[in-house]
Amino acid sequence: GVEAQANVILSERSASPSLIYQYIIGAAYLAIGLFVFLRRGTAAKAYHFYVLCLASFILSTFHYTGKLNNFDKVVYWGNVVAGLFVPAIFLHFTLAFPEPRRWMRGARTAVVYLPAALLLTLYVGFSSGAVRIGMSLLEVRWLLDRLWLPLLAVTYLAGAAVLAVEHR
């Protein structure tokens, strides 16, 4: 029941250093990918490398504001799709460069992308309301993000293992 004087100052929130770092990394991905694609666009796997760099750029720089207008939804879903598929694209690139493995042909390539596609199906299913469980959407989002992190780590580590074996 005590009145207090408060000065309210409305201003734009400044970007945190970690967010600025992410933007710099994203810009570097895009610059490297464009450089390789424009310089050596006809080289084997240049397009694949460009797609990897472009998806990494999207993962690093696309951050939705929470307004969830149409543009914000595109940014959100771009970030979700990139987050799910960048590790799979990386693993596929390590398995296909410089020459594809014998067993990595045709439909077998889809095995690399299958876990990300299944998780994306869950994201879309829950967000569209086609799949329902007794949890709030916020809790479902938290759970899906907790499933995504091990997928990201395992897939990147598998790509690193392929590179280590090839380097030997």
Side-chain angles (χ1 to χ4, degrees), residues 7-123:
N7 293 331
V8 178
I9 302 170
L10 297 177
S11 67
E12 188 175 316
R13 192 174 91 191
S14 62
S16 67
S18 63
L19 190 61
I20 293 170
Y21 177 73
Q22 276 185 308
Y23 289 149
I24 291 169
I25 296 299
Y29 271 121
L30 185 62
I32 292 167
L34 282 171
F35 178 78
V36 169
F37 184 69
L38 294 175
R39 189 93 163 119
R40 306 272 303 170
T42 58
K45 306 298 178 212
Y47 185 72
H48 194 156
F49 183 75
Y50 171 69
V51 169
L52 172 63
C53 289
L54 182 63
S56 297
F57 163 75
I58 292 170
L59 178 61
S60 298
T61 59
F62 279 28
H63 305 285
Y64 69 103
T65 63
K67 292 179 187 176
L68 290 182
N69 55 18
N70 288 335
F71 180 73
D72 212 29
K73 288 177 187 177
V74 168
V75 169
Y76 170 76
W77 283 107
N79 187 270
V80 168
V81 170
L84 291 170
F85 284 97
V86 164
I89 295 168
F90 173 71
L91 178 59
H92 182 199
F93 183 76
T94 60
L95 290 169
F97 187 80
E99 293 298 323
R101 309 306 183 271
R102 277 186 238 132
W103 61 270
M104 251 329 256
R105 301 224 168 113
R108 292 183 183 155
T109 304
V111 172
V112 173
Y113 295 97
L114 188 61
L118 291 174
L119 198 52
L120 178 62
T121 303
L122 285 176
Y123 269 97

Side-chain angles (χ1 to χ4, degrees), residues 89-157:
I89 295 168
F90 173 71
L91 178 59
H92 182 199
F93 183 76
T94 60
L95 290 169
F97 187 80
E99 293 298 323
R101 309 306 183 271
R102 277 186 238 132
W103 61 270
M104 251 329 256
R105 301 224 168 113
R108 292 183 183 155
T109 304
V111 172
V112 173
Y113 295 97
L114 188 61
L118 291 174
L119 198 52
L120 178 62
T121 303
L122 285 176
Y123 269 97
V124 171
F126 282 116
S127 69
S128 68
V131 178
R132 295 176 192 257
I133 58 173
M135 295 170 66
S136 71
L137 284 178
L138 186 62
E139 291 172 319
V140 169
R141 166 81 195 278
W142 184 87
L143 179 64
L144 290 174
D145 286 347
R146 294 307 159 271
L147 292 173
W148 168 67
L149 286 173
L151 174 68
L152 177 105
V154 166
T155 311
Y156 268 130
L157 288 173

